Amino acid sequence: EVQLVQSGAEVKKPGEPLKISCKGSGYSFTSYWIGWVRQMPGKGLEWMGIIYPGDSDTKYSPSFQGQVTISADKSISTAYLQWSSLKASDTAIYYCAFGELYFDYWGQGTLVTVSS
Amino acid sequence: DIVMTQSPDSLAVSLGETATINCKSSQSVLYSSNNKNYLAWYQQKPGRPPKLLIYWASTRASGVPDRFSGSGSGTDFTLTISSLQAEDVAVYYCQQYYTTGTFGQGTKVEIK
């Protein structure tokens, strides 16, 4: 069974770092792009960036370039999304998803809450 | 960055009737070398992750009912839901994957 399992909900303070994860199983992790999508409370989907775990080629939306880092560890079939310094405006659900370039399969989402 | 604009923002349709959602891209997403439109449609129900419905503008994803169809080319695309069912109440998003990726703002479909 194809699955993407994301790490659990996080509550952080502004300025703190964070790294969330997304573990793939049931498919060839190194053969498909895996991406991250933000959904702020009550809002639409925002495409953040994608990584090809086979060679670590990474592409970012201009809106998120420099704000987050996307990485992957193919030895454990896991992709990551990280922040060096969170802001309150980073409060959102973050989905990982994979596919050819469109997203066939999605994780369950990780809720990140940033509040002082 | 390519901007995707959906219309309308919301619509209410009677059960059994047809819902039509439009998506316009700020530049063409048709790749001339393979004649494919890099355009997908997703459905998102409350509290759930999105689900892929259509890719390459008109190819239904596995398991998607045939009442969902996609059409269009270049910059103008349409998602049509024929014979709307209660379970089709959701927000629908288009997404271009021609250059990196961008989603439309979403269209909420409700029952009239």
Side-chain angles (χ1 to χ4, degrees), chain A residues 37 39 43-47 59-62 95 101-104 106-107, chain B residues 1 38 40 42 44 48-50 52 55-56 93 95 97 100-103:
Chain A
V37 174
Q39 189 164 40
K43 301 299 184 184
L45 306 175
E46 297 175 272
W47 193 99
K59 305 176 192 292
Y60 292 93
S61 162
Y95 293 103
L101 286 170
Y102 48 87
F103 295 134
D104 293 86
W106 293 68
Chain B
D1 222 17
Y38 284 53
Y42 301 86
Q44 187 179 31
R48 301 289 298 160
L52 178 68
Y55 57 97
W56 300 129
Y93 297 90
Q95 181 222 339
Y97 46 96
T100 56
T102 326
F103 289 97

Side-chain angles (χ1 to χ4, degrees), chain B residues 19-89:
Chain B
T20 301
I21 301 169
N22 300 300
C23 174
K24 188 174 185 65
S25 57
S26 61
Q27 65 186 75
S28 176
V29 298
L30 174 62
Y31 193 36
S32 56
S33 66
N34 60 11
N35 201 36
K36 287 187 172 184
N37 288 283
Y38 284 53
L39 190 286
W41 289 96
Y42 301 86
Q43 175 193 65
Q44 187 179 31
K45 297 182 179 181
R48 301 289 298 160
K51 172 187 173 184
L52 178 68
L53 294 177
I54 303 282
Y55 57 97
W56 300 129
S58 61
T59 302
R60 262 189 306 276
S62 176
V64 173
D66 60 8
R67 64 179 181 273
F68 291 92
S69 62
S71 63
S73 184
T75 61
D76 292 279
F77 300 90
T78 300
L79 175 70
T80 302
I81 312 172
S82 305
S83 188
L84 191 80
Q85 306 295 303
E87 63 262 32
D88 300 333
V89 169

Side-chain angles (χ1 to χ4, degrees), chain A residues 44-102:
Chain A
L45 306 175
E46 297 175 272
W47 193 99
M48 299 177 72
I50 52 174
I51 186 167
Y52 192 78
D55 61 8
S56 294
D57 186 18
T58 308
K59 305 176 192 292
Y60 292 93
S61 162
S63 300
F64 291 94
Q65 179 84 48
Q67 308 304 307
V68 296
T69 301
I70 293 170
S71 60
D73 184 342
K74 59 186 179 184
S75 69
I76 55 171
S77 301
T78 300
Y80 301 96
L81 177 65
Q82 69 180 89
W83 296 259
S84 58
S85 179
L86 286 161
K87 301 187 274 285
S89 58
D90 292 318
T91 294
I93 296 173
Y94 293 88
Y95 293 103
C96 65
F98 86 89
E100 294 283 348
L101 286 170
Y102 48 87

